[in-house]
Amino acid sequence: YNILTWNHPEIIKLRSNIAKNIISYNNECSNNTPELWIQCWYNVLRFGQKIKPHFHSLSPRSYLSGHFNVQVNDTSTVYMSPINQLNNPDVIDIKNIPGELTLFPSYIFHYTTPNYSFKPRITIAFDINLQKSHCDNQIRL
């Protein structure tokens, strides 16, 4: 993955959209929205490529993770139940839709289905934290 430039107009719009969705998420849960820091990157998957199961963080400073679908070509992101991750885990398979933003807890294992399109699958992924880390590409949300 590569680091994105924060001052690009489309990234500024995406940052604002992420912030609005987090506020909405917290309102639904009757939570206050704390000061948050975000870092993001983009993923480009060519024909036959996929992202293997992984999670973003178990750190107490982690808040949420997510991704924004730019060009997704009939692919899904699959989220694994944190209760059963061995021997046929329970999963939720969510079809990726261009322009859709997904938020999820950073500790949830997830992966993608293979991209069988000749168009690259492009997403912008991000982590949102409660404290700024040592990363240079992190800004206040």
Side-chain angles (χ1 to χ4, degrees):
Y1 60 82
N2 292 316
I3 297 170
L4 295 170
T5 304
W6 285 113
N7 59 1
H8 188 280
E10 292 299 316
I11 299 301
I12 292 169
K13 190 169 26 172
L14 176 61
R15 178 182 170 199
S16 175
N17 192 12
I18 292 168
K20 287 177 191 173
N21 278 279
I22 289 173
I23 291 167
S24 176
Y25 168 84
N26 281 321
N27 287 342
E28 287 272 330
C29 299
S30 299
N31 293 332
N32 292 326
T33 301
E35 178 178 282
L36 298 169
W37 297 85
I38 186 170
Q39 62 186 39
C40 72
W41 58 94
Y42 62 90
N43 294 298
V44 177
L45 301 179
R46 311 254 180 239
F47 184 86
Q49 293 182 318
K50 64 182 179 180
I51 298 175
K52 295 179 180 178
H54 68 284
F55 67 92
H56 290 223
S57 180
L58 294 174
S59 168
R61 70 177 177 77
S62 295
Y63 193 66
L64 292 169
S65 292
H67 64 92
F68 176 75
N69 299 321
V70 178
Q71 179 173 284
V72 288
N73 317 316
D74 197 30
T75 60
S76 294
T77 302
V78 183
Y79 300 90
M80 300 169 66
S81 168
I83 306 301
N84 174 22
Q85 294 182 351
L86 303 172
N87 305 321
N88 197 23
D90 294 328
V91 298
I92 297 172
D93 184 317
I94 298 179
K95 184 170 176 56
N96 293 314
I97 299 170
E100 189 169 87
L101 175 75
T102 302
L103 296 172
F104 55 91
S106 300
Y107 60 81
I108 298 291
F109 273 87
H110 57 286
Y111 58 93
T112 68
T113 57
N115 177 25
Y116 290 122
S117 171
F118 288 105
K119 290 183 178 180
R121 175 193 181 272
I122 303 169
T123 58
I124 299 172
F126 52 88
D127 288 330
I128 300 162
N129 296 306
L130 296 168
Q131 298 171 339
K132 187 173 183 178
S133 70
H134 61 278
C135 297
D136 290 336
N137 67 327
Q138 203 172 47
I139 63 168
R140 189 162 181 236
L141 187 58

